[in-house]
Each structure stands twice: as structure tokens, then as C-alpha cells.
Amino acid sequence: GGEVSFKGMAAVAPFAAVCAAYGKVGTETVLTKAFAKGKDGEREKAFVSNVIKMGGKAEATEDGYKIVGTGGLVGGVYTDGFGDPRIAAATTIAALNAEKPTVLLSAEAANKEYPEFFNELIRLGARIESL
């Protein structure tokens, strides 16, 4: 919980948001300066919709996220990576521990920055299927 600035580290903010969503029920975490430099945060704001669809409590702020811990995510929905490697990867991580399987459209975007992303998750024991 609390407030965390991601100045100079915006690339990891979506992953921190996932951790906060899985956090203790009712714990509020505010992530500031969470958007990549020079971007308006539209894709990052869309990431919030993924968290909400999966059963989390989240909202976009002017420069980041406000997340309220729910202790877990339900899943069982269609989500989207929005063509952004960070959003696709963070949504994948969020879905891995969700109660129900989650479909991620544009998942291949995660491979743009980390070409072995999905192979590595499978190697670690994740169950990932391609449609």
C-alpha cells in the first residue's frame, strides 16, 4: 500500500499494478509517474480496463494508477494487450493466477521486447494456450 513514484521506471509500473491488485483486500496503492515519457498514457489507462474486467479494483489517474487490493483476480474474460509489450506482458502475469482462464488478444506484443517471454513462462510451469 501507499504511494510509489515510477519516475524513470515507467516500464515496470504495470507489473507493480498487478502486484497491488493481488494485494491485501482493501489496501490502496497509488502509482505515480507511471506512464512512459512523452506518452499520454492512453494504452496504460486501457490496462486498467483489463484489471477491472478480471475482477480488480483500479482506476487511471493523471499520471498513473490507483489500485485497491482484492486478494486475487477472477479472470474468465477477454482482455487485450493493445499492441503494447508492457501491457500484454503485465496482463499475462495478472491472468496467470486468476481463478478462471483469461483470453488475451494481441498477446504476441509481449514478445517485442522479450522474444522468449511466453516460452520462459511455460518453462517455469505456466499453462498457456494459443488460440
Side-chain angles (χ1 to χ4, degrees):
E3 185 172 316
V4 182
S5 173
F6 283 85
K7 184 176 182 179
M9 306 180 300
V12 298
F15 300 97
V18 169
C19 293
Y22 274 93
K24 184 179 175 185
V25 175
T27 301
E28 184 176 283
T29 303
V30 177
L31 310 177
T32 62
K33 303 195 184 324
F35 302 152
K37 188 176 182 178
K39 290 190 176 182
D40 61 9
E42 286 306 311
R43 286 185 180 161
E44 287 85 347
K45 290 175 185 175
F47 170 66
V48 168
S49 70
N50 286 344
V51 174
I52 292 169
K53 282 181 187 178
M54 288 189 278
K57 294 181 180 179
E59 66 181 76
T61 64
E62 185 177 311
D63 69 344
Y65 309 103
K66 184 187 322 183
I67 310 288
V68 178
T70 57
L73 296 175
V74 178
V77 296
Y78 280 81
T79 60
D80 199 322
F82 304 103
D84 184 285
R86 293 169 294 128
I87 303 306
T91 301
T92 299
I93 299 300
L96 286 177
N97 286 320
E99 294 173 27
K100 300 176 185 175
T102 300
V103 175
L104 174 61
L105 305 173
S106 302
E108 68 281 354
N111 289 327
K112 287 180 188 175
E113 291 183 12
Y114 185 2
E116 292 297 312
F117 179 74
F118 289 104
N119 290 336
E120 194 66 23
L121 289 176
I122 292 167
R123 187 186 72 73
L124 292 169
R127 184 169 172 238
I128 298 174
E129 298 176 13
S130 179
L131 299 177

Short mmCIF file of all heavy atoms in Angstrom, two decimals, residues 10 13-14 17 31 34-36 39-53 58-67 80-82 84 86-87 91:
data_model
loop_
_atom_site.label_atom_id
_atom_site.label_comp_id
_atom_site.label_asym_id
_atom_site.label_seq_id
_atom_site.Cartn_x
_atom_site.Cartn_y
_atom_site.Cartn_z
N ALA A 10 8.94 3.82 -15.69
CA ALA A 10 7.55 3.61 -16.10
C ALA A 10 7.31 2.23 -16.70
O ALA A 10 6.20 1.70 -16.61
CB ALA A 10 7.12 4.69 -17.08
N ALA A 13 5.83 -0.19 -14.13
CA ALA A 13 4.62 0.21 -13.41
C ALA A 13 3.44 -0.74 -13.62
O ALA A 13 2.75 -1.08 -12.64
CB ALA A 13 4.23 1.64 -13.76
N PRO A 14 3.16 -1.23 -14.85
CA PRO A 14 2.03 -2.16 -14.99
C PRO A 14 2.21 -3.44 -14.17
O PRO A 14 1.25 -4.00 -13.65
CB PRO A 14 1.99 -2.46 -16.49
CG PRO A 14 2.66 -1.29 -17.13
CD PRO A 14 3.72 -0.87 -16.16
N ALA A 17 1.34 -2.67 -10.68
CA ALA A 17 -0.11 -2.56 -10.57
C ALA A 17 -0.74 -3.95 -10.39
O ALA A 17 -1.68 -4.12 -9.61
CB ALA A 17 -0.69 -1.86 -11.80
N LEU A 31 0.24 4.56 -7.82
CA LEU A 31 1.47 4.53 -8.60
C LEU A 31 1.51 5.82 -9.43
O LEU A 31 0.66 6.03 -10.28
CB LEU A 31 1.50 3.31 -9.51
CG LEU A 31 1.18 1.96 -8.83
CD1 LEU A 31 1.18 0.85 -9.85
CD2 LEU A 31 2.16 1.68 -7.73
N ALA A 34 3.78 6.89 -13.83
CA ALA A 34 3.77 5.52 -14.33
C ALA A 34 3.64 5.42 -15.85
O ALA A 34 3.57 4.32 -16.37
CB ALA A 34 2.64 4.75 -13.66
N PHE A 35 3.60 6.53 -16.53
CA PHE A 35 3.47 6.49 -17.98
C PHE A 35 4.80 6.82 -18.63
O PHE A 35 5.54 7.69 -18.15
CB PHE A 35 2.40 7.47 -18.47
CG PHE A 35 1.03 7.22 -17.88
CD1 PHE A 35 0.14 8.25 -17.74
CD2 PHE A 35 0.64 5.96 -17.47
CE1 PHE A 35 -1.12 8.04 -17.20
CE2 PHE A 35 -0.61 5.73 -16.92
CZ PHE A 35 -1.50 6.78 -16.79
N ALA A 36 5.11 6.13 -19.71
CA ALA A 36 6.38 6.34 -20.41
C ALA A 36 6.51 7.81 -20.83
O ALA A 36 5.53 8.45 -21.21
CB ALA A 36 6.47 5.44 -21.62
N LYS A 39 4.47 9.99 -23.54
CA LYS A 39 3.21 9.34 -23.91
C LYS A 39 2.10 9.89 -23.03
O LYS A 39 2.32 10.31 -21.91
CB LYS A 39 3.32 7.82 -23.71
CG LYS A 39 4.23 7.14 -24.70
CD LYS A 39 4.09 5.65 -24.60
CE LYS A 39 4.94 4.98 -25.66
NZ LYS A 39 4.79 3.53 -25.63
N ASP A 40 0.90 9.86 -23.57
CA ASP A 40 -0.23 10.40 -22.82
C ASP A 40 -0.87 9.37 -21.90
O ASP A 40 -1.78 9.67 -21.15
CB ASP A 40 -1.28 10.98 -23.77
CG ASP A 40 -1.85 9.93 -24.72
OD1 ASP A 40 -1.57 8.73 -24.56
OD2 ASP A 40 -2.58 10.32 -25.63
N GLY A 41 -0.39 8.14 -21.97
CA GLY A 41 -0.90 7.12 -21.07
C GLY A 41 -2.17 6.43 -21.53
O GLY A 41 -2.77 5.69 -20.77
N GLU A 42 -2.59 6.64 -22.78
CA GLU A 42 -3.83 6.01 -23.24
C GLU A 42 -3.79 4.48 -23.15
O GLU A 42 -4.72 3.86 -22.69
CB GLU A 42 -4.19 6.45 -24.66
CG GLU A 42 -4.72 7.87 -24.73
CD GLU A 42 -5.90 8.12 -23.80
OE1 GLU A 42 -6.86 7.34 -23.79
OE2 GLU A 42 -5.85 9.11 -23.05
N ARG A 43 -2.70 3.86 -23.60
CA ARG A 43 -2.60 2.40 -23.50
C ARG A 43 -2.54 1.96 -22.05
O ARG A 43 -3.13 0.98 -21.66
CB ARG A 43 -1.39 1.89 -24.27
CG ARG A 43 -1.59 1.93 -25.75
CD ARG A 43 -0.42 1.30 -26.46
NE ARG A 43 -0.62 1.35 -27.89
CZ ARG A 43 0.32 1.22 -28.78
NH1 ARG A 43 1.57 1.03 -28.39
NH2 ARG A 43 0.07 1.27 -30.05
N GLU A 44 -1.77 2.72 -21.26
CA GLU A 44 -1.66 2.38 -19.86
C GLU A 44 -3.03 2.49 -19.18
O GLU A 44 -3.39 1.67 -18.34
CB GLU A 44 -0.64 3.27 -19.16
CG GLU A 44 0.80 2.93 -19.52
CD GLU A 44 1.29 3.60 -20.81
OE1 GLU A 44 0.47 4.13 -21.59
OE2 GLU A 44 2.51 3.58 -21.03
N LYS A 45 -3.79 3.52 -19.54
CA LYS A 45 -5.13 3.68 -18.99
C LYS A 45 -6.02 2.51 -19.42
O LYS A 45 -6.84 2.03 -18.64
CB LYS A 45 -5.74 5.01 -19.42
CG LYS A 45 -5.07 6.20 -18.75
CD LYS A 45 -5.61 7.51 -19.29
CE LYS A 45 -4.86 8.69 -18.70
NZ LYS A 45 -5.27 9.96 -19.29
N ALA A 46 -5.82 2.04 -20.64
CA ALA A 46 -6.59 0.90 -21.11
C ALA A 46 -6.25 -0.36 -20.32
O ALA A 46 -7.08 -1.24 -20.13
CB ALA A 46 -6.37 0.68 -22.61
N PHE A 47 -5.00 -0.44 -19.82
CA PHE A 47 -4.60 -1.57 -18.99
C PHE A 47 -5.50 -1.68 -17.76
O PHE A 47 -5.83 -2.78 -17.33
CB PHE A 47 -3.13 -1.41 -18.57
CG PHE A 47 -2.69 -2.39 -17.54
CD1 PHE A 47 -2.62 -3.75 -17.84
CD2 PHE A 47 -2.36 -1.98 -16.27
CE1 PHE A 47 -2.21 -4.66 -16.88
CE2 PHE A 47 -1.94 -2.88 -15.32
CZ PHE A 47 -1.88 -4.22 -15.62
N VAL A 48 -5.91 -0.54 -17.23
CA VAL A 48 -6.80 -0.53 -16.08
C VAL A 48 -8.08 -1.30 -16.40
O VAL A 48 -8.61 -2.03 -15.57
CB VAL A 48 -7.11 0.92 -15.64
CG1 VAL A 48 -8.25 0.96 -14.64
CG2 VAL A 48 -5.86 1.56 -15.04
N SER A 49 -8.56 -1.17 -17.64
CA SER A 49 -9.78 -1.90 -18.01
C SER A 49 -9.56 -3.40 -17.93
O SER A 49 -10.47 -4.15 -17.57
CB SER A 49 -10.26 -1.49 -19.41
OG SER A 49 -9.38 -1.97 -20.42
N ASN A 50 -8.35 -3.88 -18.23
CA ASN A 50 -8.05 -5.31 -18.10
C ASN A 50 -8.15 -5.75 -16.65
O ASN A 50 -8.73 -6.79 -16.33
CB ASN A 50 -6.66 -5.64 -18.64
CG ASN A 50 -6.60 -5.61 -20.14
OD1 ASN A 50 -7.60 -5.62 -20.83
ND2 ASN A 50 -5.39 -5.56 -20.67
N VAL A 51 -7.57 -4.97 -15.76
CA VAL A 51 -7.59 -5.30 -14.33
C VAL A 51 -9.04 -5.34 -13.83
O VAL A 51 -9.44 -6.27 -13.12
CB VAL A 51 -6.75 -4.30 -13.52
CG1 VAL A 51 -6.89 -4.55 -12.02
CG2 VAL A 51 -5.28 -4.38 -13.93
N ILE A 52 -9.82 -4.36 -14.23
CA ILE A 52 -11.22 -4.30 -13.80
C ILE A 52 -12.01 -5.49 -14.36
O ILE A 52 -12.77 -6.13 -13.64
CB ILE A 52 -11.86 -2.95 -14.20
CG1 ILE A 52 -11.22 -1.82 -13.40
CG2 ILE A 52 -13.37 -2.98 -14.00
CD1 ILE A 52 -11.57 -0.43 -13.89
N LYS A 53 -11.82 -5.79 -15.64
CA LYS A 53 -12.51 -6.92 -16.25
C LYS A 53 -12.22 -8.22 -15.51
O LYS A 53 -13.06 -9.09 -15.39
CB LYS A 53 -12.09 -7.10 -17.71
CG LYS A 53 -12.72 -6.16 -18.67
CD LYS A 53 -12.22 -6.50 -20.07
CE LYS A 53 -12.65 -5.52 -21.09
NZ LYS A 53 -12.10 -5.85 -22.42
N ALA A 58 -9.48 -0.81 -9.85
CA ALA A 58 -8.41 0.05 -10.34
C ALA A 58 -8.99 1.26 -11.06
O ALA A 58 -10.12 1.21 -11.55
CB ALA A 58 -7.52 -0.73 -11.31
N GLU A 59 -8.21 2.31 -11.09
CA GLU A 59 -8.57 3.47 -11.90
C GLU A 59 -7.30 4.16 -12.36
O GLU A 59 -6.25 4.05 -11.73
CB GLU A 59 -9.47 4.44 -11.13
CG GLU A 59 -8.83 5.11 -9.95
CD GLU A 59 -9.79 6.05 -9.22
OE1 GLU A 59 -10.65 5.54 -8.48
OE2 GLU A 59 -9.65 7.28 -9.39
N ALA A 60 -7.41 4.81 -13.50
CA ALA A 60 -6.29 5.59 -14.02
C ALA A 60 -6.32 6.96 -13.36
O ALA A 60 -7.38 7.53 -13.13
CB ALA A 60 -6.41 5.72 -15.53
N THR A 61 -5.14 7.46 -13.05
CA THR A 61 -5.01 8.82 -12.53
C THR A 61 -4.36 9.67 -13.61
O THR A 61 -4.15 9.19 -14.73
CB THR A 61 -4.15 8.84 -11.24
OG1 THR A 61 -2.83 8.41 -11.57
CG2 THR A 61 -4.75 7.95 -10.17
N GLU A 62 -4.03 10.88 -13.30
CA GLU A 62 -3.43 11.77 -14.30
C GLU A 62 -2.12 11.21 -14.86
O GLU A 62 -1.84 11.34 -16.04
CB GLU A 62 -3.18 13.15 -13.69
CG GLU A 62 -2.66 14.16 -14.69
CD GLU A 62 -2.50 15.52 -14.07
OE1 GLU A 62 -3.45 15.99 -13.42
OE2 GLU A 62 -1.43 16.12 -14.24
N ASP A 63 -1.33 10.56 -14.02
CA ASP A 63 -0.03 10.06 -14.48
C ASP A 63 0.26 8.63 -14.01
O ASP A 63 1.40 8.20 -14.02
CB ASP A 63 1.09 10.99 -14.05
CG ASP A 63 1.34 10.98 -12.55
OD1 ASP A 63 0.46 10.49 -11.80
OD2 ASP A 63 2.40 11.45 -12.12
N GLY A 64 -0.78 7.91 -13.62
CA GLY A 64 -0.53 6.55 -13.14
C GLY A 64 -1.79 5.77 -12.81
O GLY A 64 -2.80 5.89 -13.48
N TYR A 65 -1.70 5.01 -11.75
CA TYR A 65 -2.76 4.10 -11.37
C TYR A 65 -3.10 4.23 -9.89
O TYR A 65 -2.23 4.50 -9.07
CB TYR A 65 -2.33 2.64 -11.57
CG TYR A 65 -1.77 2.31 -12.92
CD1 TYR A 65 -0.40 2.14 -13.10
CD2 TYR A 65 -2.60 2.12 -14.01
CE1 TYR A 65 0.13 1.80 -14.33
CE2 TYR A 65 -2.08 1.79 -15.25
CZ TYR A 65 -0.72 1.63 -15.41
OH TYR A 65 -0.20 1.30 -16.63
N LYS A 66 -4.36 3.99 -9.56
CA LYS A 66 -4.77 3.78 -8.18
C LYS A 66 -5.38 2.37 -8.15
O LYS A 66 -6.33 2.09 -8.88
CB LYS A 66 -5.80 4.79 -7.71
CG LYS A 66 -6.13 4.61 -6.23
CD LYS A 66 -7.26 5.45 -5.67
CE LYS A 66 -7.37 6.84 -6.16
NZ LYS A 66 -8.47 7.58 -5.49
N ILE A 67 -4.80 1.51 -7.34
CA ILE A 67 -5.22 0.13 -7.28
C ILE A 67 -5.64 -0.19 -5.85
O ILE A 67 -4.95 0.19 -4.89
CB ILE A 67 -4.06 -0.83 -7.67
CG1 ILE A 67 -3.40 -0.42 -8.99
CG2 ILE A 67 -4.53 -2.27 -7.69
CD1 ILE A 67 -4.20 -0.65 -10.22
N ASP A 80 -7.09 -7.42 -23.65
CA ASP A 80 -6.34 -7.00 -24.83
C ASP A 80 -4.99 -6.45 -24.42
O ASP A 80 -4.89 -5.74 -23.42
CB ASP A 80 -7.14 -5.93 -25.58
CG ASP A 80 -6.69 -5.75 -27.02
OD1 ASP A 80 -5.47 -5.83 -27.28
OD2 ASP A 80 -7.54 -5.53 -27.88
N GLY A 81 -3.97 -6.77 -25.19
CA GLY A 81 -2.63 -6.22 -24.95
C GLY A 81 -2.43 -4.88 -25.60
O GLY A 81 -1.41 -4.24 -25.42
N PHE A 82 -3.39 -4.45 -26.41
CA PHE A 82 -3.37 -3.14 -27.07
C PHE A 82 -2.10 -2.90 -27.89
O PHE A 82 -1.69 -1.77 -28.08
CB PHE A 82 -3.57 -2.01 -26.05
CG PHE A 82 -4.83 -2.16 -25.24
CD1 PHE A 82 -4.77 -2.61 -23.93
CD2 PHE A 82 -6.07 -1.89 -25.80
CE1 PHE A 82 -5.93 -2.78 -23.19
CE2 PHE A 82 -7.24 -2.05 -25.07
CZ PHE A 82 -7.16 -2.50 -23.76
N ASP A 84 0.87 -3.24 -27.06
CA ASP A 84 1.94 -2.71 -26.22
C ASP A 84 2.62 -3.85 -25.46
O ASP A 84 1.96 -4.60 -24.75
CB ASP A 84 1.36 -1.70 -25.23
CG ASP A 84 2.42 -1.02 -24.40
OD1 ASP A 84 2.94 -1.68 -23.47
OD2 ASP A 84 2.73 0.15 -24.66
N ARG A 86 4.49 -4.00 -22.77
CA ARG A 86 4.34 -3.97 -21.30
C ARG A 86 2.94 -4.34 -20.87
O ARG A 86 2.75 -5.08 -19.90
CB ARG A 86 4.73 -2.59 -20.75
CG ARG A 86 6.20 -2.29 -20.92
CD ARG A 86 6.52 -0.84 -20.63
NE ARG A 86 5.89 0.02 -21.64
CZ ARG A 86 5.12 1.06 -21.37
NH1 ARG A 86 4.90 1.43 -20.14
NH2 ARG A 86 4.58 1.76 -22.33
N ILE A 87 1.96 -3.84 -21.59
CA ILE A 87 0.56 -4.12 -21.23
C ILE A 87 0.26 -5.60 -21.47
O ILE A 87 -0.36 -6.26 -20.63
CB ILE A 87 -0.41 -3.23 -22.04
CG1 ILE A 87 -0.09 -1.75 -21.82
CG2 ILE A 87 -1.84 -3.56 -21.71
CD1 ILE A 87 -0.06 -1.29 -20.40
N THR A 91 -0.60 -8.03 -18.35
CA THR A 91 -1.91 -8.68 -18.35
C THR A 91 -1.74 -10.20 -18.29
O THR A 91 -2.51 -10.89 -17.62
CB THR A 91 -2.74 -8.25 -19.58
OG1 THR A 91 -2.89 -6.82 -19.55
CG2 THR A 91 -4.11 -8.90 -19.59
#
